[in-house]
Amino acid sequence: MSFIVTGWLFTNTFISRIYDVSIMSPKPPYSITDKSRIEQLKTLLKNRERDEHIALLYDDDADGLTAGVFAYHGLKKLGFTNITTCPKAEDRQTYSSAFLQNLSSMEVKTIVCVDFEPISWKLASPAKIVEHGFDVIIIDHHFDQTELYDNLNTQNEQDILFIHPLNTTNSDNASQYCCAKFVYDVFSEIVDISEFRWKQAIGIIGDMNIIKWGDFTRDLLAEFGTKISDGDRKAFF
């Protein structure tokens, strides 16, 4: 019984600290400072036919799903009409030869991958990334593989673009720039997706970035009539 009580006290103390205004950031802690890769993304997408088949791959957690939502709406608002969405498979078949062959048979031309990066996650080798000639756009906040993907882009005919907080923003801790927020910021540089901006809170809370982005999230939800308070906090945990 004492173990249960101790655990309950620890959990509630931890949650209370998350919502302690004194430890929350007074403003968004990170922002985009280098737009060179976003300009590459803008050019890459501008040169595509609007009916080109795009496969949108995303991680299957709260952050990845929300990042996928932002990428999907960004592409749709840019005029793309043929987007197939693919959550990352738990059986590690995403990016398998059979998976890529299936995309190829569907005449997919471009893969957009958010909140996971196939090589670091041991889903694919560098050779497999370029195996079927897809153009590949990866927007992720996990391992920084900028050099690896830049080399792939240089060595192959197709476009390979890797966008990461450490090569695009003033972030010194990419794990605290959740991919949902990052993808929102990236696409917002290209197209207006602000009507979906409240969904940033899902990724921030789901990826445990609430301490870093506390005031930002509270203000965002307050704007839409939802207030984070001590009485509401249990709804998020």
Side-chain angles (χ1 to χ4, degrees):
M1 182 66 179
S2 61
F3 174 79
I4 295 173
V5 171
T6 302
W8 182 87
L9 289 172
F10 173 82
T11 301
N12 279 271
T13 300
F14 174 73
I15 292 173
S16 296
R17 282 190 57 77
I18 287 178
Y19 288 92
D20 181 353
V21 175
S22 67
I23 65 171
M24 287 183 175
S25 305
K27 62 182 180 179
Y30 304 131
S31 59
I32 290 174
T33 52
D34 183 346
K35 298 184 180 181
S36 58
R37 290 175 187 269
I38 295 174
E39 286 301 314
Q40 291 178 51
L41 175 62
K42 185 177 181 179
T43 300
L44 195 157
L45 294 175
K46 181 180 179 181
N47 292 334
R48 296 295 186 273
E49 296 295 331
R50 299 299 100 170
D51 61 351
E52 176 180 303
H53 196 175
I54 296 175
L56 173 59
L57 281 55
Y58 53 90
D59 198 8
D60 58 355
D61 62 4
D63 187 30
L65 177 60
T66 313
V69 167
F70 289 139
Y72 177 83
H73 285 299
L75 292 168
K76 292 288 283 187
K77 295 199 81 173
L78 286 168
F80 290 98
T81 59
N82 192 7
I83 305 169
T84 296
T85 57
C86 311
K88 181 176 67 65
E90 286 300 320
D91 58 6
R92 306 188 70 79
Q93 290 305 301
T94 305
Y95 253 98
S96 68
S97 294
F99 178 86
L100 295 176
Q101 183 58 50
N102 189 40
L103 294 186
S104 183
S105 69
M106 295 166 61
E107 299 185 344
V108 167
K109 302 299 183 185
T110 301
I111 293 175
V112 177
C113 185
V114 297
D115 200 35
F116 76 95
E117 179 272 299
I119 294 176
S120 295
W121 290 44
K122 303 187 184 305
L123 299 173
S125 64
K128 187 169 286 186
I129 294 291
V130 299
E131 183 177 336
H132 290 274
F134 301 114
D135 291 327
V136 180
I137 300 165
I138 298 173
I139 308 176
D140 189 29
H141 73 135
H142 293 96
F143 300 98
D144 182 9
Q145 294 282 20
T146 299
E147 183 176 356
L148 188 157
Y149 283 100
D150 283 358
N151 287 338
L152 280 178
N153 184 57
T154 301
Q155 297 164 7
N156 293 274
E157 293 184 2
Q158 65 260 53
D159 290 307
I160 311 290
L161 178 60
F162 181 71
I163 304 178
H164 187 277
L166 296 184
N167 63 34
T168 310
T169 76
N170 58 352
S171 169
D172 57 356
N173 183 357
S175 68
Q176 289 297 306
Y177 202 143
C178 73
C179 203
K181 172 60 177 163
F182 185 50
V183 171
Y184 178 87
D185 289 347
V186 168
F187 271 92
S188 291
E189 293 289 333
I190 302 172
V191 65
D192 181 12
I193 55 172
S194 60
E195 65 195 272
F196 310 108
R197 63 190 179 279
W198 69 269
K199 296 178 182 179
Q200 296 172 88
I202 299 173
I204 291 170
I205 295 170
D207 221 40
M208 298 301 290
N209 285 182
I210 192 68
I211 293 178
K212 198 73 174 178
W213 294 86
D215 281 0
F216 172 86
T217 305
R218 185 167 46 209
D219 292 346
L220 179 65
L221 293 179
E223 178 187 352
F224 288 87
T226 304
K227 181 181 178 181
I228 297 178
S229 68
D230 287 343
D232 299 327
R233 68 187 181 218
K234 291 183 180 179
F236 297 105
F237 290 90

